[in-house]
Amino acid sequence: MESVCEDFGATLSEFNGEADHVHLLVQYPPAVRLSDLVNSLKGVSSRIIRRDHPNQLADLLWGKNLWSPSYFAASAGGAPLDIVKQYISNQQRPS
């Protein structure tokens, strides 16, 4: 994820995941189209995960896809980044 962000001139500030989704805090330049960045993150990570874990994905796929075609993005322009990073790092499903 970090190298993909760097390719776009973006910075991956925080990353965390759960069994069925991930949370990323990315700072990216205004000239970058968010949809292009997200599609690249999904495509590259899918290829790497499929290469490294080919026998462990059958129950995790969306049809034939690793990632859902959708994504959620929100702006955190006014929030202190430390608070957003803390939120992302603490994402866990309740027991």
Side-chain angles (χ1 to χ4, degrees):
M1 299 288 188
E2 202 167 35
S3 66
V4 171
C5 287
E6 289 173 2
D7 290 345
F8 281 82
T11 303
L12 179 62
S13 299
E14 192 68 36
F15 175 85
N16 199 353
E18 297 182 36
D20 60 353
H21 67 279
V22 296
H23 296 264
L24 292 87
L25 175 60
V26 178
Q27 296 172 293
Y28 63 96
V32 171
R33 288 192 305 214
L34 181 59
S35 60
D36 290 343
L37 176 58
V38 170
N39 286 334
S40 186
L41 288 164
K42 287 181 172 188
V44 170
S45 62
S46 177
R47 284 189 295 279
I48 291 170
I49 292 168
R50 287 172 185 274
R51 179 195 70 205
D52 294 349
H53 307 283
N55 300 321
Q56 301 157 342
L57 296 176
D59 295 336
L60 304 175
L61 298 178
W62 290 76
K64 294 183 179 181
N65 300 312
L66 179 64
W67 298 112
S68 161
S70 62
Y71 65 90
F72 171 78
S75 171
L81 286 181
D82 287 339
I83 299 299
V84 177
K85 286 181 182 182
Q86 181 180 2
Y87 170 80
I88 291 171
S89 67
N90 290 325
Q91 289 301 298
Q92 295 178 359
R93 288 188 182 246
S95 301

